[in-house]
Structure formats: C-alpha cells, structure tokens
Amino acid sequence: MATWDKTLISRYGGPGPRYTSYPPAPQFHEEVSESDYAEAIDAGNAARRPLSLYVHIPFCSTVCYYCACNRVVTANHGRAAEYLKRLKQEIGLRAEQVDSQRPVTQIHWGGGTPTFLSDAQITELV
Ligand code: SF4
C-alpha cells in the first residue's frame, strides 16, 4: 500500500523553476545588487568553495517547438565566432573576481546545442 508523505508533497507539489537553470530565473531581481554578488564571491573565495561552471551556447541548427530554452535558431555557424569572442571577455571578467585556487568540480554546457560549435571552437573554449 502506498504511503503519502504530506511534507514531501507540499514541498514539491507546486510550480518550480526549470531544472536547467541555477540560479533559476525568479531569483534574478533588483534586490540582489552588484555588491551582494561581490560579497558572495568573496565568501566563496574565503572558504575555497569548489566551483560549478555553466557555459551557455545558445545556437541550434533547427527548432524544437516544445523548447523554452534561451536559444537562437540558425544555420549560420559563423554567428558562433562573435558570441565566443564576447563569452571569452565575460569569462575573463569573472575570472578576475574568483580565487584561482578554488577547484572546478563541475562543468555544464547548455544551450542551445553546444555541438553547434566546431571542434576547434570547443577546444579553444575549454
Ligand atoms: S535547445 Fe535543444 S530542445 Fe531546444 S531547440 Fe535547441 S536542440 Fe531543440
């Protein structure tokens, strides 16, 4: 006979964020300031907390109509080069804030379709 855990049901029984995004979109609001962000990074640096990295590659060659990802549907693979240039700038800016001794324990690539990139672009990004 099944047993029902009311606490568990109430915890997961409502709408939730999409699992692919962390922090999820509802967590982005104006009450989280730049200084909050900097303080969180400093606290992570002080604790040498391991890092999980997410890299968003937004391009898809074809559209899937059920998909709600933030993606750009295009057959033009040339668009990736400009995106990667700006992505590298962002990585550089973030890297300046993070203690380089913190271990990276997880890397997640999402999109979009990360294999939209060429082998050479993937190698360079890694
Ligand atoms: S992100 Fe994945 S599911 Fe969404 S359109 Fe691109 S290939 Fe399809």
Side-chain angles (χ1 to χ4, degrees):
M1 176 174 231
T3 55
W4 303 96
D5 182 336
K6 278 189 173 182
T7 306
L8 191 66
I9 291 169
S10 62
R11 184 173 175 191
Y12 294 109
R18 296 176 60 232
Y19 69 94
T20 53
S21 306
Y22 186 82
Q27 300 301 319
F28 288 87
H29 52 77
E30 292 179 0
E31 289 170 28
V32 178
S33 68
E34 181 73 23
S35 63
D36 292 329
Y37 177 74
E39 283 173 23
I41 292 179
D42 289 345
N45 287 341
R48 288 270 171 91
R49 203 170 293 143
L51 295 165
S52 296
L53 306 181
Y54 172 74
V55 179
H56 190 79
I57 308 296
F59 304 105
C60 299
S61 297
T62 56
V63 67
C64 303
Y65 291 105
Y66 57 81
C67 177
C69 291
N70 184 359
R71 79 276 195 258
V72 176
V73 179
T74 178
N76 178 5
H77 285 246
R79 294 186 68 180
E82 185 62 26
Y83 180 81
L84 289 174
K85 192 170 115 189
R86 292 171 190 271
L87 181 59
K88 277 192 248 175
Q89 289 173 337
E90 183 178 352
I91 290 169
L93 290 171
R94 298 297 172 212
E96 286 174 8
Q97 299 170 301
V98 177
D99 183 341
S100 63
Q101 298 304 305
R102 291 173 65 181
V104 174
T105 55
Q106 298 181 62
I107 299 177
H108 177 80
W109 287 26
T113 311
T115 52
F116 184 90
L117 303 181
S118 69
D119 289 353
Q121 287 170 325
I122 289 173
T123 299
E124 190 174 354
L125 183 55
V126 169

